[in-house]
Amino acid sequence: MHRLSRRSVSAILRSGGSRHRAVASSSPFSDSVLEGDTRVRWFSVLNSGRHSTIGASTQLILKNGIFLSSRCESTAAASENSDSPHPPAEKYEYQAEVSRLMDLIVNSLYSNKDVFLRELIRHVLFHLPFNASDALDKLRYLSVTDPALLKDGVDLDIRIQTDKENGIVTITDTGIGMTRQELIDCLGTIAQSGTSKFLRALKDSKDVGSDSNLIGQFGVGFYSAFLVSDRVTVSTKSPKSDKQYVWEGEANASSYIIREETDPEMLIPRGTRLTIYLKRDDKGFANPERVQKLIKNYSQFVSFPIYTWQEKGYTKEVEVDEDPAEARKDGQDEKAEKKKTKTVVERYWDWELTNETQPIWLRNNKEVTTEEYNEFYKKTFNEYLDPLASSHFTTEGEVEFRSILYVPGYAPSGKDDIINPKTKNIRLYVKRVFISDDFDGELFPRYLSFVKGVVDSNDLPLNVSREILQESRIVRIMRKRLVRKAFDMMLGISLSENRADYEQFWENYGKYLKLGCIEDNENHKRIAPLLRFFSSQSEEEMISLDEYVENMKAEQKDIYFIAADSVTSAKNTPFLERLLEKDLEVLFLVDPIDEVAIQNLKSYKDKNFVDISKEDLDLGDKDEEKEKVIKQEYGQTCDWIKKRLGDKVASVQLTNRLSSSPCVLASGKFGWSPNMERLMKSQTVGDTSSLEFMRGRRVLEINPEHPIIKNLNAACKTSPDDEDALRAIDLLYDAALVSSGFTPENPGQLGGKIYEMMGMALSGKWLSAVEVPHPVGPNHHPEAVEAEIVEPVEAGGQK
């Protein structure tokens, strides 16, 4: 026997069956479960207010055997022939601003028609005392001082029923309802919100207090119904009045009517029924599945239960009739024959709870488990992996809001996500009603676009567009606090005992934080501790800037770094030679964005970042007397080399940064490093003007202790015009160009010089030890050799 749920029975008891409708072809109550002849007439509140009797005789049997029935003999035809006409309706003109507002809403204000249902349910833009949760909230507060308002015992809920065939949506709440005068004041004017008046009354009387969480002070939410409808009716009953009134309005009309409801079948004990007659092109909104989806998206966490009228089914076994003749052919005894059955699905309609009334972010974070946070994350953002971390917090003070933030377990697959601020990772709620997840950097900067979460505010102003949201001071304050909490969450990952957690985070989101160094100067102090780099003392495992500072020498004043395309290139650069001898650690910036990020940071904990590939590197060990003597000795040589190289270098200087290399090509203080020049070269798109200027800032630094430089110094003094010496200078420059990380201007010419030098160095070194073979050719005649005559000897005999 199929039985109704407890809530379904409760709904029937209080509404006389008006909220339940069975399908004629598939009633859930088979004749086998019917007892007696009492009939229940199931009818819909949709069909233009008339009742349609559906199905055969039905009866409800409760678990305790108590019989429940309702006799509603009036049919659609009977209603049509009724002699009790409605009392005359009174016609009212809209306030002039209302007509303009309705035109604005329908044609300009909303680009997405889906919001109409949100506007009618949500308690953010509600301006009417009846609208769903707002009306229920009001009734709940007023019942504290006036318990008689709840004397009918009807549960506080919202129910949405659809008629797919006729394109009708009905929203019914059991809230406070409206009187006739309230209908006139609220539905014909703007800024006459019943909720606004209610809040002012609470504030003046202080009977309940100002923290009532009731909104609806703007006055446009109701008119969004005309986005999808031609006609709207509002039937409402207030506990303050003995009569029920109906408001009727049409799209593009300048007036509306109000009449008294006299049909006994349409009376409700308390609350409001809003009926929307959809336009022809918008009848898809009457699909029960679509309505359910919209509620789950926009009104999932409204504080009162929302029920939708859904088709359901259950399976049962039914007997299958069999031909007796065929049964006898099979040798079966009819009396002993076992009845054959099949499984069928019986369809019926019933109310289904669609929303969750207690969002996780309203709970105490100490009471929520990690598993619950992870489950909420997966369900909300359609993820299948657990997040790396989560942060549940409440902010108070100037702005109050609740939020849960997450760091996803993996980075977005698209390469453009790092520069795309338009993500759907942050879902904004206002008083638990979903507002939007389409933001353009209002709540998070683009470099933190990977952070996901929900934000629920009670302080946001009443906004009707994202443009207004962008200008909100409250949103700017929320952004600062959200960013701060996001960094605290990431810092918590970095301090985890499991180092692999942060390694995974850095692999996924390191580039995002480096982008933050470039774009967000205000948060440099929060970003810098999260950065990770390889170094000359840690080539396999990345280190933080804090770890670098802890390992600094006592006399070291700066943080040294070198930018290259790989760790291998960085550790083999000649710029490192003297620093390695002095055991000074150097950071290896091997990501293309690293160098720009570090240059924007400028310093960390009062330690300046220094690029060791730039000119005039100070290692803190200068000997002025020794440098003065060396400059006198090699000053003429530096000028001679500069004259030979011309505009290829800005200057030629002596250096103490080298130990085993003869020279290095350093960048000017304000010029591009070799790595930066390589990156910029690939992005110039044919415009090389700036590139040529920065190239002119190269400085050739020579090592006076190296034998090659000593030989060139001697050549400068004895034979400055010697061609071999000049070619040696050219080759020296080209070699420094390559070893320093620059790209040679003419690789072919450089190769020719290297081959020439190799030929000079290898000439005759090994050939002198090897005998040269005689040539063999067609004109070669070997000398004649006299043949030796050997006499034959018999086998086994003597000569």
Side-chain angles (χ1 to χ4, degrees):
M1 180 188 301
H2 175 75
R3 304 181 186 277
L4 285 178
S5 65
R6 183 186 302 270
R7 186 171 293 276
S8 298
V9 173
S10 175
I12 297 171
L13 283 171
R14 66 172 182 265
S15 62
S18 62
R19 295 182 180 179
H20 295 262
R21 180 182 60 178
V23 177
S25 60
S26 56
S27 173
F29 308 108
S30 61
D31 294 337
S32 61
V33 302
L34 299 178
E35 299 176 4
D37 58 354
T38 306
R39 298 181 179 182
V40 178
R41 298 280 186 175
W42 298 90
F43 65 93
S44 171
V45 297
L46 299 176
N47 302 318
S48 301
R50 297 183 174 91
H51 306 169
S52 58
T53 304
I54 302 176
S57 300
T58 55
Q59 175 176 315
L60 307 182
I61 301 176
L62 305 184
K63 291 183 178 180
N64 57 5
I66 298 177
F67 161 86
L68 168 66
S69 67
S70 174
R71 183 177 297 275
C72 302
E73 297 294 344
S74 60
T75 62
S79 296
E80 291 176 359
N81 298 327
S82 175
D83 295 329
S84 57
H86 292 296
E90 297 186 21
K91 186 176 181 180
Y92 296 87
E93 294 292 328
Y94 281 117
Q95 185 185 26
E97 290 79 1
V98 173
S99 297
R100 292 196 294 268
L101 175 64
M102 290 173 63
D103 179 70
L104 177 66
I105 290 176
V106 174
N107 299 309
S108 304
L109 192 59
Y110 294 101
S111 59
N112 181 12
K113 291 184 177 181
D114 288 355
V115 302
F116 91 93
L117 188 60
R118 178 193 70 181
E119 295 298 304
L120 297 177
I121 298 176
R122 61 187 286 192
H123 53 108
V124 177
L125 298 183
F126 283 162
H127 70 295
L128 303 178
F130 72 80
N131 275 23
S133 61
D134 208 13
L136 296 172
D137 264 327
K138 179 178 293 185
L139 178 62
R140 184 172 58 183
Y141 279 105
L142 292 177
S143 64
V144 175
T145 56
D146 188 3
L149 296 175
L150 297 177
K151 62 182 179 180
D152 49 31
V154 180
D155 294 340
L156 302 180
D157 58 26
I158 304 167
R159 294 177 183 266
I160 302 177
Q161 190 175 14
T162 60
D163 183 347
K164 187 176 180 180
E165 295 180 0
N166 297 313
I168 302 175
V169 177
T170 300
I171 304 174
T172 306
D173 71 69
T174 56
I176 190 63
M178 285 186 292
T179 63
R180 178 190 181 89
Q181 189 59 42
E182 286 173 339
L183 275 176
I184 297 174
D185 293 341
C186 295
L187 296 186
T189 60
I190 302 179
Q192 293 294 327
S193 166
T195 299
S196 178
K197 293 180 179 180
F198 176 66
L199 284 176
R200 288 197 297 269
L202 285 181
K203 185 176 181 180
D204 295 339
S205 64
K206 298 182 180 180
D207 291 336
V208 182
S210 60
D211 186 18
S212 59
N213 284 326
L214 296 179
I215 330 175
Q217 302 175 33
F218 194 66
V220 300
F222 168 74
Y223 302 109
S224 65
F226 291 102
L227 280 171
V228 295
S229 64
D230 292 316
R231 182 164 62 98
V232 175
T233 64
V234 178
S235 181
T236 181
K237 170 67 169 61
S238 171
K240 303 176 184 178
S241 174
D242 296 333
K243 298 180 180 180
Q244 180 174 325
Y245 295 95
V246 178
W247 179 98
E248 294 185 6
E250 295 184 359
N252 302 319
S254 60
S255 62
Y256 59 92
I257 63 173
I258 295 179
R259 61 177 172 82
E260 180 184 345
E261 181 61 81
T262 58
D263 187 347
E265 300 297 339
M266 298 303 295
L267 296 179
I268 56 178
R270 183 192 67 225
T272 302
R273 180 189 298 126
L274 175 65
T275 305
I276 302 171
Y277 299 87
L278 298 172
K279 300 176 183 177
R280 177 180 300 177
D281 295 337
D282 296 314
K283 286 188 176 181
F285 286 105
N287 188 313
E289 290 77 15
R290 186 170 184 181
V291 168
Q292 191 176 55
K293 182 179 180 180
L294 290 176
I295 293 174
K296 289 184 177 181
N297 187 37
Y298 291 109
S299 305
Q300 177 74 2
F301 302 108
V302 170
S303 56
F304 294 96
I306 301 177
Y307 295 93
T308 56
W309 189 243
Q310 299 292 332
E311 185 180 18
K312 300 182 180 182
Y314 68 96
T315 60
K316 71 174 185 178
E317 297 289 334
V318 297
E319 296 180 359
V320 179
D321 295 334
E322 186 177 6
D323 188 354
E326 293 183 1
R328 284 193 294 272
K329 288 181 181 180
D330 297 336
Q332 297 178 356
D333 185 354
E334 292 187 24
K335 296 182 179 179
E337 178 184 350
K338 184 178 181 181
K339 295 292 184 181
K340 291 187 177 181
T341 62
K342 66 177 181 178
T343 302
V344 297
V345 178
E346 290 287 344
R347 298 290 180 180
Y348 68 99
W349 291 78
D350 197 2
W351 293 108
E352 180 176 310
L353 181 63
T354 305
N355 67 320
E356 298 178 10
T357 58
Q358 180 62 29
I360 189 174
W361 61 79
L362 292 183
R363 297 167 56 186
N364 189 325
N365 54 11
K366 296 180 180 179
E367 299 175 355
V368 184
T369 64
T370 302
E371 290 73 18
E372 289 177 310
Y373 283 127
N374 293 348
E375 185 63 27
F376 176 77
Y377 166 77
K378 294 177 182 178
K379 181 179 179 181
T380 304
F381 299 101
N382 295 321
E383 297 284 356
Y384 61 91
L385 291 178
D386 290 338
L388 287 177
S390 63
S391 177
H392 182 185
F393 58 93
T394 302
T395 62
E396 298 178 351
E398 186 177 5
V399 174
E400 297 183 5
F401 65 92
R402 295 172 181 266
S403 178
I404 301 179
L405 301 179
Y406 295 93
V407 174
Y410 63 96
S413 57
K415 294 182 179 179
D416 294 336
D417 287 333
I418 189 172
I419 60 173
N420 180 19
K422 290 188 176 182
T423 64
K424 295 186 178 296
N425 290 343
I426 300 298
R427 295 177 59 87
L428 175 63
Y429 293 79
V430 175
K431 301 207 172 184
R432 290 173 286 180
V433 176
F434 175 67
I435 300 300
S436 177
D437 58 1
D438 183 16
F439 295 102
D440 193 5
E442 291 89 355
L443 293 179
F444 273 98
R446 67 172 183 168
Y447 71 92
L448 290 180
S449 60
F450 63 90
V451 176
K452 297 184 178 183
V454 297
V455 180
D456 185 6
S457 171
N458 292 339
D459 297 326
L460 277 179
L462 300 169
N463 299 301
V464 293
S465 68
R466 198 181 66 197
E467 287 73 17
I468 296 178
L469 190 66
Q470 291 173 337
E471 299 174 1
S472 172
R473 184 184 66 88
I474 295 177
V475 174
R476 292 195 294 269
I477 297 175
M478 289 174 58
R479 172 188 166 111
K480 290 183 179 180
R481 298 186 180 179
L482 287 171
V483 170
R484 189 182 310 150
K485 288 294 184 179
F487 279 119
D488 292 343
M489 179 171 53
M490 290 181 275
L491 184 61
I493 303 176
S494 67
L495 299 177
S496 173
E497 296 180 358
N498 186 2
R499 193 180 181 97
D501 289 344
Y502 195 76
E503 291 177 354
Q504 180 182 353
F505 168 82
W506 182 255
E507 181 180 357
N508 291 332
Y509 309 111
K511 288 183 173 64
Y512 290 82
L513 297 182
K514 295 171 186 176
L515 181 62
C517 295
I518 302 172
E519 296 187 339
D520 192 355
N521 294 333
E522 295 181 0
N523 286 300
H524 276 177
K525 292 183 178 180
R526 294 186 175 91
I527 299 175
L530 301 173
L531 301 177
R532 297 293 185 271
F533 303 99
F534 293 108
S535 75
S536 57
Q537 297 181 9
S538 181
E539 299 177 7
E540 301 295 332
E541 187 175 305
M542 288 186 167
I543 63 170
S544 66
L545 295 179
D546 286 324
E547 291 173 315
Y548 181 96
V549 172
E550 291 177 2
N551 295 333
M552 289 176 61
K553 302 295 181 182
E555 67 278 6
Q556 185 178 346
K557 299 179 181 179
D558 302 314
I559 300 175
Y560 300 111
F561 70 88
I562 180 71
D565 59 352
S566 65
V567 173
T568 302
S569 299
K571 70 179 182 180
N572 291 317
T573 181
F575 294 106
L576 277 178
E577 292 176 359
R578 185 54 62 87
L579 285 92
L580 294 180
E581 287 185 356
K582 297 173 67 67
D583 197 25
L584 296 176
E585 189 172 15
V586 179
L587 296 176
F588 292 163
L589 310 186
V590 296
D591 200 5
I593 198 176
D594 284 352
E595 186 174 0
V596 182
I598 288 296
Q599 289 173 349
N600 278 271
L601 282 181
K602 297 181 181 179
S603 64
Y604 181 70
K605 291 187 175 179
D606 298 328
K607 307 288 184 181
N608 293 325
F609 289 101
V610 174
D611 187 352
I612 64 172
S613 67
K614 298 295 181 71
E615 63 177 322
D616 297 332
L617 178 65
D618 183 10
L619 299 179
D621 57 351
K622 287 186 176 182
D623 187 342
E624 295 182 359
E625 292 297 329
K626 183 179 179 180
E627 289 182 0
K628 185 177 181 180
V629 173
I630 294 177
K631 283 183 179 180
Q632 291 177 352
E633 175 68 20
Y634 288 89
Q636 184 180 354
T637 302
C638 291
D639 295 338
W640 176 57
I641 297 175
K642 174 62 174 70
K643 182 179 179 181
R644 175 63 180 178
L645 297 178
D647 294 337
K648 292 181 179 179
V649 296
S651 63
V652 179
Q653 300 175 2
L654 299 173
T655 183
N656 64 346
R657 78 165 86 206
L658 301 174
S659 58
S660 59
S661 298
C663 64
V664 71
L665 198 61
S667 304
K669 290 183 179 179
F670 304 104
W672 285 335
S673 68
N675 182 69
M676 183 60 66
E677 182 177 315
R678 175 176 56 84
L679 295 175
M680 296 303 295
K681 194 178 200 180
S682 63
Q683 301 179 31
T684 54
V685 195
D687 182 13
T688 60
S689 57
S690 60
L691 193 64
E692 292 297 333
F693 171 75
M694 303 305 284
R695 280 179 178 173
R697 300 304 307 159
R698 296 171 182 171
V699 177
L700 181 65
E701 296 185 0
I702 59 176
N703 178 12
E705 302 297 331
H706 197 278
I708 293 178
I709 302 302
K710 290 181 178 180
N711 284 328
L712 288 178
N713 185 46
C716 174
K717 294 178 179 180
T718 57
S719 305
D721 297 328
D722 185 87
E723 289 297 325
D724 290 338
L726 295 178
R727 286 201 304 272
I729 293 176
D730 293 340
L731 185 60
L732 187 72
Y733 169 79
D734 289 335
L737 198 70
V738 175
S739 64
S740 301
F742 294 99
T743 303
E745 291 89 346
N746 193 335
Q749 185 180 15
L750 172 61
K753 293 177 182 179
I754 295 175
Y755 299 150
E756 181 184 357
M757 297 298 292
M758 289 178 64
M760 294 173 58
L762 301 179
S763 178
K765 184 172 183 179
W766 295 288
L767 290 178
S768 59
V770 179
E771 184 178 354
V772 179
H774 293 286
V776 178
N779 299 324
H780 175 69
H781 302 282
E783 297 180 358
V785 180
E786 185 178 355
E788 180 182 359
I789 299 175
V790 180
E791 296 181 358
V793 179
E794 295 182 2
Q798 295 180 354
K799 184 176 176 180

